[in-house]
Amino acid sequence: MQTTFLFTILFYVLSAGGYISYLIVQRKQLHRMASYILLIGFLMHCAWLTLAYSAAGHMPVGNLSETLSFCAWAVAAVFLIFQYKYNIKILGAYAAPMLALLMLAAFILPPKTVADPKLLQKLWLSIHITTIFLGDAAMALACGAGILYLVQERAIKSKKPGYFFKRLPSLELLDNGGYACIVTGFTLLTIGLITGLISAKLYWGRFWSWDVKEVWSALAWIFYAVLLHERLTVGWRGRRSALMAIIGFGVLIFTFLGVNLLLKGHHSQFTL
Amino acid sequence: MSEIILLGLNHTTAPVELRECLAFTTDDTERAVVQLADNPAVEEVVLFSTCNRIEVLLVAKDPGKAVELSKSFLSEFKQVPVNDFNIATYVHCGDEAVGHVFRVAASLDSMMLGEPQILGQIKEAYRTASEKRTSGVILNRLMHRAFFTAKRIRNETGIGDNAVSISYAAVQLGRKIFGTLENKAVLLLGAGEMAELAVEHLVRHHVGRVFVANRTFERGVTLAAKYKGQAIRFEEVKEHLSQVDIIISSTGATDFVIRRDDIKAVRRRRRNRSLFFIDIAVPRDIDPDINRLENAYVYDIDDLQGVIDENIEDRQREAVKAQRIVDEAVIRFRRWHDSLDVVPTIVALRDKVSGIAAVEVDKRIKSMDHLSAADHDAIRNMVNAMVNKILHDPTQFLKKGSCQGDKSIPLDITRKLFKLDP
């Protein structure tokens, strides 16, 4: 099991190297290689999750190490689908290093189980966790597309094309790609929040307890809801949409880690 | 042994007036290569003539003589005294000539570094020569290596990347903004050679509707017909701002034609879709402040020139890489060319055959313990004698040569037949 984990890390790191070299030297073969390596890494990761699940009898998200690993798995899954669908090749130079770092962090952190294993066996909670993480992953990619959008926009507006102009795709593609990520992410987050409410009712006895975690999650959800609403009604796109995607992801990260580590909400046991 | 010689003149050595006088049409080229090749001092010949260069590529035993001959031939054929073009003419021999051909084919010697047409022109020139059978073993190989090297350079370096003309730059920018130019609506304000060229270029990239607004409506109608577009009156421009995506402007107006507020007013109706302005007019037509608005991009003529300059610098950087590929190709070609000499070929042939014989004899002898050492020697001597006798006639043939004294053909065949070049 440990070997599978190590191999997953190795493949993610190699893939990150491949994507970054692709950014620098722009060879198609490098991109193809990097995506295949990433795919192998992802399959390894799936294998590890299955092994960990059967060993513990519940989803392996009982501590910070496992949570980060699960997070990486979600990002890899969403990225692979997204790459297949939108073909923004350069986004790999953002996603793959992120995966590699998440996994390395997961590897370094101590693997002690803190969360109540009984709780983790519950079905509603499993759905809640999976959808929330996949949603977060989609938003992470939206943030990446937003960053690339701002870089490319700056290159075009400043009238000095430079290094990134040639290497980054068109603004339209980045904007559409980011939007698709946000729509996907928002859908998943919504499902995640609803199942979260249901779980809270089932296992803790009430839907809503004004916990900091809940409040921040709701804030993040509203933030994205506003973003989508504005895009659909008045056509908020481009720069503004990209900035919102980046800020939104910042709120999500804070909800995920900041709240648990700094404010000690009722989810803290998952990230200790 | 035959030498490869190249003489010619190009845009850096000769003014256009001179190049015009010496330029060859396709028909001229056909006749010229045949006439040059008829001369016994010339073994092979290919002639390139484009608007920027006239070059004669020759294979000859005596380079000095061949150069003089070609010069007097050019002078006669084109009725231009030798003295008029002598100073502008460069002569390269051997590796230098080979390198020069590779550079030309790869567009490293072009006026616009990396322009793609030259390779086609060189191919055309070579086709003429090979149809007239004036190119032989050496130039055939040289030209094929030149095409291969040029292709390799195009694939492995960025020599042909990025636009280096205004209309290409406009298309390149448009694609970085819109992804694809398909179905994007274009508005042409005013008229002018450069603006029309840009529109034509966009049309070739399958843009959608084209609107043309001109101060004189008739002119606009004529232009619109050219692009299968629609002419609109100049007063209608502001209403159309909500429908178009790319605006190319080139009017003679002394003040801005489109201002920041005009765009702000239609932003909502456009649902914030991107808007790309190409302002070719001087004085400018488009308020540069529009560039500060979200999803609006304004490029004036200087901005486009800046993009082009940057791209040219990129190409120059890539040319250094390309030169390395050329140098490598020259060395490889020289190796092959040297191998066409008689002695190395005979040596290689003997080495190959006697090597095979020795290996086979050794293998058999090892399993024949009943024979004495003297018997082993006898078998070895017999095999050696056979090798010598078998190779005697081919060796003599290669030494004497045939095919009107051109040894390169039998040498080349021998090398291929016995696979002497790994």
Side-chain angles (χ1 to χ4, degrees), chain B residues 89-137:
Chain B
T89 310
Y90 43 80
V91 176
H92 299 306
C93 271
D95 282 359
E96 264 182 55
V98 173
H100 184 83
V101 174
F102 289 174
R103 285 175 58 81
V104 169
S107 193
L108 294 173
D109 200 49
S110 302
M111 190 187 253
M112 180 46 72
L113 192 62
E115 56 94 3
Q117 283 92 346
I118 185 74
L119 184 59
Q121 290 163 333
I122 300 285
K123 279 187 176 163
E124 190 56 45
Y126 172 60
R127 192 175 307 132
T128 308
S130 60
E131 270 168 20
K132 297 288 161 195
R133 299 184 178 284
T134 64
S135 64
V137 175

Side-chain angles (χ1 to χ4, degrees), chain B residues 14 27 62 113-114 211 260:
Chain B
D27 287 350
D62 182 347
L113 192 62
F211 297 97
R260 193 174 164 186

Side-chain angles (χ1 to χ4, degrees), chain B residues 187-191 211 213 234 237 247-251 257-258 285-286:
Chain B
L187 169 61
L188 173 62
L189 287 174
F211 297 97
F234 220 80
V237 164
I247 296 173
I248 299 175
S249 186
S250 168
T251 73
V257 177
I258 298 176
D285 287 342
I286 311 293

